[in-house]
Amino acid sequence: MDVLLIGDGGHSKVIQDIIQSEGKHRVIGLLDDKYERGSIRNNVFVGPVDSIFERLQENVGIILAIGNNGVRKKLVERLQIHPSQFVTVIHPSAIVSPSASIGRGTVVMPKVVVNANAVVNDHCILNTGSTVEHDCFVDRFAHLSPASTLTGQVYIEEGVNIGAAATVIPGLKIGSWSVIGAGATVIEDITANQTAVGCPAKVISKASVI
């Protein structure tokens, strides 16, 4: 399938590599508001985000190639594109259980593991080497940073950001739009809109809410 990527920064470059490795899609456009007008670069259209309405067709998919959780949510609300047009990409080195579910627009990067009965909702990022263990639930617009681990039956609400190499022990709940710092070990529930760091993780401030 031909795809349009919204975002042309570092995260977009990684997604382009995944698309090339996966071999299922072809990038035909890079849309980013840093471009004032459209042009062709290496046979790929580049232009502002709103040019999507000129380029989008029924057989063209979309990927939000932006790392910021809040920005991805705002773009979904702004563009009002039918959910069926968002494309999921999974690197060939990722291990995804047959009983797991991966939502539309989610990006699964190299060496990720998603185990039995896990559910990952729409527009999430499972970054390099992250692990989603059995029976976890990850809601929309969440981001698991590289080498982070959700052990069994963890519930992650919308927009949560789990930092690099952080671990959440079994059965816990992380409230919406919270941030878990890099290297943290979470041993108790974290309520919505909190920033928690350390080992064990302690809440230090309110998280920025979109």
Side-chain angles (χ1 to χ4, degrees), residues 69-89:
N69 298 345
V71 172
R72 291 201 307 284
K73 181 173 182 178
K74 288 178 180 177
L75 279 167
V76 168
E77 293 170 346
R78 165 183 159 189
L79 297 174
Q80 294 292 303
I81 292 167
H82 194 278
S84 64
Q85 291 203 259
F86 287 102
V87 173
T88 300
V89 292

Side-chain angles (χ1 to χ4, degrees), residues 1-209:
M1 174 183 280
D2 289 344
V3 295
L4 299 166
L5 269 58
I6 300 179
D8 190 22
H11 185 62
S12 177
K13 293 175 184 176
V14 176
I15 291 177
Q16 290 172 59
D17 284 349
I18 295 172
I19 289 171
Q20 185 174 11
S21 296
E22 193 179 24
K24 294 180 179 179
H25 308 297
R26 179 175 69 107
V27 177
I28 62 168
L30 298 169
L31 309 181
D32 195 301
D33 284 339
K34 68 184 179 183
Y35 302 116
E36 294 183 359
R37 60 181 61 87
S39 63
I40 301 297
R41 185 178 70 192
N42 298 324
N43 297 318
V44 174
F45 176 82
V46 296
V49 172
D50 283 345
S51 59
I52 191 171
F53 299 110
E54 304 164 11
R55 298 279 160 174
L56 189 59
Q57 300 175 21
E58 186 175 344
N59 60 343
V60 173
I62 305 163
I63 301 170
L64 299 180
I66 295 172
N68 184 287
N69 298 345
V71 172
R72 291 201 307 284
K73 181 173 182 178
K74 288 178 180 177
L75 279 167
V76 168
E77 293 170 346
R78 165 183 159 189
L79 297 174
Q80 294 292 303
I81 292 167
H82 194 278
S84 64
Q85 291 203 259
F86 287 102
V87 173
T88 300
V89 292
I90 301 176
H91 193 276
S93 67
I95 298 172
V96 179
S97 167
S99 63
S101 174
I102 307 292
R104 293 186 180 276
T106 286
V107 176
V108 181
M109 296 193 179
K111 305 297 184 182
V112 167
V113 176
V114 183
N115 271 331
N117 297 319
V119 175
V120 180
N121 214 328
D122 300 341
H123 304 297
C124 293
I125 299 169
L126 305 185
N127 220 314
T128 308
S130 59
T131 300
V132 181
E133 268 297 345
H134 67 88
D135 301 298
C136 287
F137 179 84
V138 181
D139 209 349
R140 303 189 316 155
F141 305 109
H143 184 172
L144 273 61
S145 297
S148 59
T149 301
L150 305 182
T151 56
Q153 299 176 319
V154 170
Y155 193 101
I156 300 294
E157 291 189 341
E158 182 180 276
V160 168
N161 194 322
I162 306 291
T167 300
V168 183
I169 69 167
L172 296 186
K173 181 178 181 179
I174 309 297
S176 59
W177 301 98
S178 286
V179 175
I180 306 301
T185 300
V186 182
I187 63 171
E188 58 186 9
D189 291 347
I190 304 294
T191 58
N193 306 320
Q194 305 294 322
T195 298
V197 302
C199 185
K202 299 293 183 184
V203 173
I204 59 168
S205 66
K206 290 280 188 181
S208 297
V209 182

